Amino acid sequence: MANIAWPPASKRGLIGKSISRIDGPEKASGRAKYTYDQNPVNLLYAKMLTSPYAHAKITALDTSEAERMPGVRAVYVFNGVGKEVNWEGHEILAVAADSEELAEDAVRRVRVEFQQLPYLVDDADLALATKDGRTRQLGAETSGDPAAGFQQAEVTSEGNYAIPVITHCCLESHGSVAQWAGDKLNVWISTQNVSGAAGEYAQSPDLNVPASNVNVDCQVMGGGFGSKFGIDTWGLAAAALAKKSGRPVKLMLDRKPELLMAGSRPSLRGKIRVGAKRDGTIVAWDSDSWGTGGMGVVGIHGLLPYIFRDIPNRGSRYTAVRTNTGPARAWRAPNHPQACFLTMAALDDMAAKLGMDPLDFFLKNLSLAGERAALYQEELQKAAELMEWKAKWHPRGDKTPGPIKRGVGLSIHTWGGLGHDGYCRTTIHPDGSVEVATGTQDLGTGTRTVINIVAAETLGLPLDGIRVEIGDNKYPPDGASGGSTTVGGVSSSTRVSATNALNQLLAKVAPALGTTPDKLEAVAEKIQVIGDPAKAISWKQACARLGTTPIVAMGQRNMSLISSGVGGAQMAEVSVDVETGVVHMEKMVAVQDCGLIIDIKTATSQVYGACIMGTCYALHEEKIMDQQTGTCLNPNMEFYKLSGLDDVGDIVVHMMTDPAIESRGVIGLGEPPVISPGAAIANAVANAIGVRVPELPMTPERVLDALGKGEMA
Amino acid sequence: MADRDERNHSNDSQREPDAKAEAGEKTAKGFSRRQFIKGSGLAVGAGVLANEGLLKAAGIESTPVVSGPGAVPVQLKINGRLHSLRLEPRVTLLDALRNHLDLTGAKKVCDRATCGACTVIMDGRPVYACTVLAIEAQGHAIETIEGIAPAHKLHPVSQSFVDNDAQQCGFCTSGFVMAVKSYLDHHPNPTYDEAKASLNGNLCRCGTYMGIRKAVLEAATKEKGGRL
């Protein structure tokens, strides 16, 4: 009988190799059909009216003129007269019409009146927010004796640091296409939770549809990053408009509402004090921090200091600030990038104050970094080698003549990444074809490819010997894709399912080979006696023995195949033009562990992508809110900036893959490498220009401002 | 280096690949997105086509013709085939492709000439289809990603994207492939630095630029051996 344990390195034909994603050709040829691309016959287009104000009460709403327009088919009201809207972009209504243009016209014909109410959209001024009754301390932690710790400290470093609210900015906006067939609802929806969506539709009294009548389809999706777990109010609206009109409805958010309300990452601002001995030993930490995630009470409580949880004397307090801004959603590695930036910047400033190379300072204090201290040490040393850190590092302030200053910075990070629970079904047909099905989704991480690799490896077949079916809730349920939980979930459920199917096949063919199933293995499109290729029959011959009935076997996530908890180290090299304030990321080194790697190609891409996404939030991304008007100043892609192809330098990825790490099984990778770039790049900028730019993104304005203040000091 | 950030992030017309900029400056009979932006801002709501000032700005001398506001006959030559449609004059080329012809390779993302996900090739030059009106695309040869390779085959640029994992979610990919194809059509032997500097007119959120850079150079090498 085949065993579910991962094969040893010597027996891996596919696992861990560099394999191109199997849906690559569909995507690179434009043939892949995303939710946004679904055009069922008689399609209606829906557009939304959203609040222009940060806070207001709706006092009048008249849709009659809009509804009388020829070609307008249905109206759905999210928030009607008497309801309050609490941020710019808050949903009011949606109109479905024969064309996009007509739906836009109809939205303009809706008469809506508001009574404007007081608002706060900017969280920078904590005193103002407190006076306004908008703050709540989420908790305070104390360990050891912070006051005594600072007395003991020979050097104290103090600073203010901030990282603003940013958005997910998925290129495929949120939305769905809904179509009824009698009492059955079919939806295409750009979602991170294919198997969970039907239950959400079933909860709606507007739809009155049991989950068993809802089919959810998401074969490919244009990004999620944590913002697409739910079907959202507008998902329900599409289904309700389709029901009302009797025609399919497409409701995809336009870019402005997408950026205003479809997901943001909470800000984090804080005042941090660090105390250390002159030899560099950290002895005390104190932080007062706050942030906003919109009207919810959310934030990073419990994460400061980040990683260095064993600093002997520490105090930290976190206050959530409610603002009239679009709601926060999980953003790739929720809370970690913010906590990481504040912590690593404060520690880097302490190293500078001590006159120490931060690499030496971090290495010296890794005993305060918990269970992964040894891993961080190894990773930092590897990163230093790949960055040529010792050659590149200099004390703060590049003394090279001319306006271009270079510097290096570092950071470390951690994440869990335990595979989520889920099921997989493997079917082996008598003709030898195989399908592997699970109700998961591929956000672009390579999930489909991972399933294919694991199934093919398990059954001894080539990749194209397996058909992978995902992205549909008719398949066995899988968990939502968030928190780097998918690869562990699907790789283990696939491994178990394929092994179970194989064992049924082995039982069928063992007599023909004159042996017992436990003596057989599936290798190279054959079933053979273990280690004896001479005693074999081909895969096709073996399957032919099934007669007319396929083998079907289920598998569930298995904890013996997966694990949780990774560490990573990153180093950044930047150049800064001190005349213009422009920062350029010249090089990043990312050293990362994630247990057993299924596909080194897509895994490496995850890390490349994370370094680039991290560069975006380090240098460009900010949801800029204007307290005067209560509105967002940049809900579009020309002023909500992302790095372009020429904005990022070289990236070197090193995956930790020794046998001890691989023996932990599969661990998720999506989140961890996006945590450190902000801190590493910010520390590199400080190293280059000699002063700390205390707030991300490090725009030219902020860099020049920091330089100006530094010169005055 | 000093102007890098400005070029990439403050002026959308400067986001264009060189080829797009050239088209904007030189195409006299065409109506490029660049001139269009200069003249009229965004496309939505434009009921009148032949604004005289606009045409002059575009270097076009003609008698003003008023079209619309209702649907008018429009003929578009796409991938070598002529399509007859009835569209409101305000309909963009992108919406015409996606909503009226089910050619959904070009994606709608920013819808205002910033991200490049809607890139198609018009008369041999890349344009942002979200910022070209369908009526203005008449008489021009339009190439979309659906037209660059026969069914079940991949264009060498697409193949290079696959081989170099130059895509994750894939939503920017069609636009990038078209921008790269057009770039290589005009610059068959780019250096790494040239390619990097010339493909800033498209944005990716997943961060696939490392793969894309490699894909561009690999496709350039492959194409020398004969085009698809």
Side-chain angles (χ1 to χ4, degrees):
Chain A
M1 303 292 276
N3 188 299
I4 63 164
W6 295 119
S10 60
K11 291 200 135 191
R12 289 176 212 148
L14 295 167
I15 289 175
K17 301 291 188 288
S18 182
I19 292 167
S20 294
R21 62 186 68 228
I22 60 170
D23 49 8
E26 288 289 296
K27 289 177 173 178
S29 62
R31 293 167 197 145
K33 289 282 183 186
Y34 295 75
T35 295
Y36 216 143
D37 302 332
Q38 301 298 333
N39 289 328
V41 177
N42 279 327
L43 181 66
L44 298 179
Y45 297 84
K47 293 283 176 183
M48 285 170 68
L49 172 66
T50 65
S51 173
Y53 300 118
H55 189 196
K57 189 172 181 176
I58 299 170
T59 56
L61 184 64
D62 181 359
T63 59
S64 56
E65 194 187 336
E67 290 187 79
R68 278 199 302 273
M69 292 170 71
V72 171
R73 307 295 173 181
V75 172
Y76 178 89
V77 177
F78 299 95
N79 288 295
V81 174
K83 292 283 183 64
E84 274 187 26
V85 281
N86 288 297
W87 51 84
E88 184 198 15
H90 203 147
E91 308 90 301
I92 295 174
L93 60 77
V95 179
D98 290 353
S99 72
E100 277 198 77
E101 296 80 18
L102 183 58
E104 278 166 10
D105 289 347
V107 165
R108 283 189 205 103
R109 301 278 186 90
V110 172
R111 290 166 193 273
V112 55
E113 286 171 27
F114 301 92
Q115 176 196 351
Q116 288 193 63
L117 298 168
Y119 59 83
L120 180 76
V121 296
D122 186 355
D123 68 318
D125 188 342
L126 184 63
L128 180 68
T130 308
K131 206 178 90 189
D132 218 15
R134 290 168 168 273
T135 55
R136 194 200 298 173
Q137 197 178 83
L138 279 191
E141 283 188 335
T142 306
S143 161
D145 184 341
F150 279 101
Q151 275 190 341
Q152 219 182 82
E154 291 161 344
V155 181
T156 300
S157 171
E158 190 173 314
N160 291 293
Y161 309 90
I163 180 166
V165 171
I166 66 170
T167 76
H168 297 71
C169 200
C170 307
L171 291 199
E172 182 181 33
S173 59
H174 286 63
S176 62
V177 177
Q179 181 173 32
W180 292 83
D183 59 356
K184 291 199 168 62
L185 172 63
N186 295 311
V187 289
W188 294 266
I189 181 165
S190 188
T191 182
Q192 296 177 232
N193 191 4
V194 163
S195 292
E200 275 195 81
Y201 286 101
Q203 283 168 19
S204 163
D206 290 336
L207 303 182
N208 190 28
V209 61
S212 54
N213 281 14
V214 182
N215 182 245
V216 177
D217 189 299
C218 178
Q219 293 303 312
V220 282
M221 66 180 295
F225 312 111
S227 68
K228 289 181 177 169
F229 290 120
I231 64 169
D232 288 313
T233 59
W234 48 86
L236 283 180
L241 288 164
K243 190 171 185 175
K244 223 169 174 174
S245 63
R247 289 169 60 175
V249 170
K250 181 187 285 191
L251 199 176
M252 303 300 295
L253 297 189
D254 288 336
R255 186 53 43 181
K256 182 175 177 180
E258 174 72 20
L259 293 182
L260 288 176
M261 65 177 180
S264 64
R265 183 174 85 179
S267 60
L268 183 63
R269 300 166 189 279
K271 181 177 185 174
I272 297 173
R273 269 199 310 156
V274 183
K277 295 283 194 189
R278 254 181 238 295
D279 71 356
T281 310
I282 306 168
V283 293
W285 167 280
D286 188 75
S287 61
D288 261 307
S289 64
W290 73 94
T292 188
M295 293 298 282
V297 176
V298 298
I300 55 98
H301 170 57
L303 272 178
L304 285 182
Y306 187 63
I307 291 186
F308 291 89
R309 305 293 295 162
D310 295 338
I311 293 174
N313 307 293
R314 59 184 168 89
S316 80
R317 295 156 299 284
Y318 173 76
T319 299
V321 177
R322 285 180 303 118
T323 54
N324 297 98
T325 55
R329 295 185 173 193
W331 194 102
R332 199 170 179 182
N335 297 324
H336 281 233
Q338 302 99 304
C340 180
F341 166 64
L342 261 68
T343 302
M344 303 305 161
L347 296 185
D348 185 75
D349 284 349
M350 171 53 97
K353 196 155 183 183
L354 290 162
M356 279 180 81
D357 176 340
L359 176 59
D360 298 333
F361 177 74
F362 273 67
L363 288 172
K364 185 175 183 65
N365 285 291
L366 280 180
S367 59
L368 307 175
E371 55 177 327
R372 269 180 282 283
L375 177 67
Y376 291 131
Q377 182 177 339
E378 197 184 335
E379 289 178 336
L380 278 167
Q381 282 161 346
K382 185 71 199 174
E385 178 195 320
L386 295 170
M387 178 54 89
E388 300 171 81
W389 176 276
K390 284 291 171 190
K392 286 177 178 172
W393 183 82
H394 51 72
R396 272 204 181 167
D398 180 4
K399 302 291 186 281
T400 311
I404 307 299
K405 308 296 183 191
R406 291 179 87 100
V408 287
L410 63 83
S411 173
I412 57 176
H413 56 261
T414 185
W415 188 256
L418 181 69
H420 57 221
D421 200 7
Y423 298 84
C424 178
R425 185 183 66 222
T426 299
T427 306
I428 301 175
H429 294 275
D431 69 346
S433 62
V434 177
E435 79 204 47
V436 176
T438 174
T440 193
Q441 48 280 319
D442 191 333
L443 278 59
T445 51
T447 303
R448 195 178 251 113
T449 309
V450 159
I451 294 168
N452 196 343
I453 290 170
V454 171
E457 180 85 67
T458 305
L459 299 175
L461 295 176
L463 286 171
D464 63 6
I466 310 281
R467 199 176 86 232
V468 179
E469 297 285 3
I470 65 166
D472 194 313
N473 70 333
K474 69 178 177 241
Y475 304 130
D478 190 58
S481 288
S484 302
T485 62
T486 307
V487 69
V490 302
S491 64
S492 65
S493 67
T494 301
R495 177 72 175 170
V496 174
S497 156
T499 305
N500 289 344
L502 176 62
N503 282 332
Q504 289 186 40
L505 183 65
L506 298 184
K508 288 264 185 196
V509 301
L513 287 164
T515 183
T516 51
D518 59 305
K519 302 279 194 307
L520 295 175
E521 63 181 354
V523 181
E525 297 181 75
K526 292 193 298 278
I527 304 295
Q528 67 181 34
V529 173
I530 293 171
D532 188 358
K535 289 184 186 160
I537 59 171
S538 74
W539 175 263
K540 276 199 181 287
Q541 287 169 333
C543 294
R545 296 189 166 264
L546 297 175
T548 56
T549 309
I551 287 171
V552 177
M554 294 293 293
Q556 187 177 3
R557 188 247 332 239
N558 188 295
M559 299 298 266
S560 72
L561 298 173
I562 61 177
S563 190
S564 175
V566 299
Q570 293 186 2
M571 291 180 175
E573 181 181 18
V574 300
S575 62
V576 185
D577 185 330
V578 294
E579 289 176 351
T580 63
V582 171
V583 178
H584 189 246
M585 184 274 266
E586 298 289 344
K587 179 176 177 177
M588 281 194 74
V589 170
V591 180
Q592 184 67 49
D593 80 295
C594 66
L596 175 68
I597 293 170
I598 304 290
D599 180 2
I600 190 68
K601 194 172 203 169
T602 51
T604 305
S605 288
Q606 279 297 295
V607 186
Y608 283 146
C611 289
I612 292 170
M613 208 168 185
T615 304
C616 290
Y617 75 71
L619 300 179
H620 309 302
E621 284 184 73
E622 178 173 12
K623 191 174 179 183
I624 303 169
M625 298 306 300
D626 176 35
Q627 180 58 27
Q628 288 295 318
T629 58
T631 59
C632 176
L633 299 179
N634 57 343
N636 50 59
M637 289 183 71
E638 60 266 37
F639 296 111
Y640 187 89
K641 296 179 181 180
L642 303 178
S643 300
L645 186 132
D646 196 23
D647 290 327
V648 294
D650 195 18
I651 301 170
V652 177
V653 172
H654 178 84
M655 302 302 295
M656 305 287 282
T657 53
D658 67 46
I661 285 176
E662 290 184 339
S663 71
R664 301 184 64 205
V666 176
I667 314 174
L669 177 64
E671 333 284 305
V674 88
I675 296 168
S676 270
I681 292 171
N683 290 342
V685 169
N687 182 246
I689 65 174
V691 293
R692 167 67 55 188
V693 180
E695 185 166 1
L696 301 187
M698 291 174 287
T699 58
E701 182 190 7
R702 289 195 176 115
V703 170
L704 294 177
D705 192 42
L707 280 167
K709 283 178 182 155
E711 276 164 16
M712 279 183 274
Chain B
M1 182 9 282
D3 71 345
R4 197 188 311 252
D5 193 62
E6 286 298 299
R7 181 158 51 78
N8 288 329
H9 294 286
S10 67
N11 183 334
D12 71 85
S13 67
Q14 291 180 356
R15 273 193 177 285
E16 298 168 284
D18 286 353
K20 286 180 194 172
E22 281 169 30
E25 301 296 353
K26 292 176 188 166
T27 309
K29 61 177 179 176
F31 191 81
S32 80
R33 53 164 294 281
R34 183 169 183 164
Q35 289 151 341
F36 176 70
I37 293 169
K38 270 189 196 164
S40 72
L42 294 174
V44 174
V48 178
L49 153 66
N51 176 308
E52 201 176 357
L54 216 62
L55 290 173
K56 275 189 182 148
I60 300 165
E61 298 292 341
S62 73
T63 313
V65 179
V66 177
S67 297
V72 297
V74 175
Q75 287 204 318
L76 294 175
K77 194 180 171 198
I78 299 163
N79 302 327
R81 208 182 126 198
L82 203 61
H83 297 266
S84 296
L85 301 166
R86 285 189 64 81
L87 302 172
E88 289 186 61
R90 60 178 165 169
V91 172
T92 63
L93 175 59
L94 178 63
D95 286 344
L97 293 171
R98 293 180 52 81
N99 297 348
H100 297 270
L101 295 166
D102 202 29
L103 292 169
T104 56
K107 302 294 187 242
K108 194 174 199 171
V109 175
C110 72
D111 205 23
R112 42 202 281 173
T114 305
C115 74
C118 63
T119 302
V120 299
I121 296 174
M122 191 155 96
D123 295 338
R125 299 286 178 179
V127 295
Y128 293 129
C130 72
T131 317
V132 174
L133 291 173
I135 48 172
E136 279 304 325
Q138 296 184 100
H140 300 284
I142 296 151
E143 204 177 359
T144 72
I145 192 162
E146 289 87 352
I148 63 170
H152 311 300
K153 287 206 162 185
L154 289 183
H155 186 274
V157 172
S158 300
Q159 186 65 53
S160 297
F161 270 61
V162 174
D163 295 342
N164 291 282
D165 209 27
Q167 49 184 352
Q168 288 188 31
C169 86
F171 216 67
C172 72
T173 307
S174 299
F176 255 115
V177 166
M178 294 306 281
V180 170
K181 177 192 182 291
S182 181
Y183 176 68
L184 292 179
D185 284 347
H186 296 278
H187 306 86
N189 297 301
T191 65
Y192 182 71
D193 286 338
E194 284 166 358
K196 253 173 65 166
S198 302
L199 290 161
N200 266 330
N202 296 64
L203 291 172
C204 170
R205 181 50 155 168
C206 300
T208 57
Y209 300 138
M210 295 296 287
I212 293 172
R213 293 174 191 170
K214 285 186 224 151
V216 176
L217 294 186
E218 196 179 289
T221 311
K222 268 198 237 159
E223 287 200 8
K224 279 172 205 150
R227 269 159 223 279
L228 191 76

